Amino acid sequence: MKTLVLSVASLCSSLILLNSCSVSKNSVLPPKADVDNSNGTTSACFVVKTDGSRQYYSTVKLVTGVLTTPHLLADNKTVIEAKDVLAYQDNKRFAVSQKLLTTNKTSYVASETLPGFAVRIASGKLSVYSRKFYNGNNAATEYFVQTGDDGEIVAYSKAVMNDLLKDNPKASDFYNSKVKVSPKSKKLLAAVDIYNNVQFISRN
């Protein structure tokens, strides 16, 4: 009996510890007004650490080089390693770690972000992220989509898009039309733009 009590106590302690370490996807999203709540000032640049804490900076820059491990440099003095970052906003883009992407494919490419990070290229009710990866010959691009602010960031596919667009006839019809758009990503982004910005009548 004593062993059972100790086992239950140990299990409860483990669950509490895991819960305290978990990070909600909501915590990595940019605040609506990009405001540093600690002092009330507006700041467009921030870093969300793996522990869920968010730090605001005047500048955040990606540093890469032949003999340099890719990292972020905040305010021209603070070095932040990729392994410590879940998401960040610099003066150009918002990017999320591949830890937040629902994919089994790992990327080490750091051409416009930290290695394996995905950049948000469209936002709204439906958001789109892009990520560079090495396909064996050169760097290619893969896409991810997310519904709302707290939805999973899932790998893009035609089936996924058809499911997401099914309640918006205009966006769905455009996405499935025979209109040729080059590159193909432009059609995806145009359909998402229609979904995010056009008033529509639901099919349901």
Side-chain angles (χ1 to χ4, degrees), residues 47 49 57 60 70-74 78-82 84-85 114:
V47 174
K49 299 289 191 70
Y57 300 98
V60 172
H71 63 274
L72 298 177
L73 185 63
T78 305
V79 174
I80 306 169
E81 302 296 336
D84 299 323
V85 180
L114 288 172

Side-chain angles (χ1 to χ4, degrees), residues 154-172:
V154 301
Y156 161 79
S157 71
K158 189 156 187 174
V160 165
M161 282 303 293
N162 279 323
D163 187 54
L164 293 174
L165 300 177
K166 66 186 176 186
D167 62 347
N168 186 320
K170 192 164 186 177
S172 180

Side-chain angles (χ1 to χ4, degrees), residues 44-45 60 88-95 112 119-121:
C45 299
V60 172
Y88 69 93
Q89 171 79 50
D90 61 18
N91 64 344
K92 296 178 183 176
R93 59 184 66 87
F94 173 67
E112 58 183 7
V119 174
R120 188 171 59 191
I121 56 176

Side-chain angles (χ1 to χ4, degrees), residues 137-176:
N137 297 313
N138 49 39
T141 304
E142 61 183 334
Y143 297 93
F144 299 85
V145 291
Q146 177 188 34
T147 54
D149 289 338
D150 59 355
E152 286 189 313
I153 305 173
V154 301
Y156 161 79
S157 71
K158 189 156 187 174
V160 165
M161 282 303 293
N162 279 323
D163 187 54
L164 293 174
L165 300 177
K166 66 186 176 186
D167 62 347
N168 186 320
K170 192 164 186 177
S172 180
D173 290 346
F174 174 79
Y175 179 73
N176 289 297

Side-chain angles (χ1 to χ4, degrees), residues 98-145:
Q98 56 194 355
K99 295 172 188 171
L100 297 175
L101 307 175
T102 56
T103 179
N104 295 323
K105 191 186 299 178
T106 301
S107 172
Y108 301 99
V109 176
S111 61
E112 58 183 7
T113 64
L114 288 172
F117 276 59
V119 174
R120 188 171 59 191
I121 56 176
S123 62
K125 292 178 291 183
L126 188 57
S127 296
V128 180
Y129 294 79
S130 70
R131 179 177 77 157
K132 302 290 185 188
F133 72 99
Y134 186 68
N135 66 8
N137 297 313
N138 49 39
T141 304
E142 61 183 334
Y143 297 93
F144 299 85
V145 291

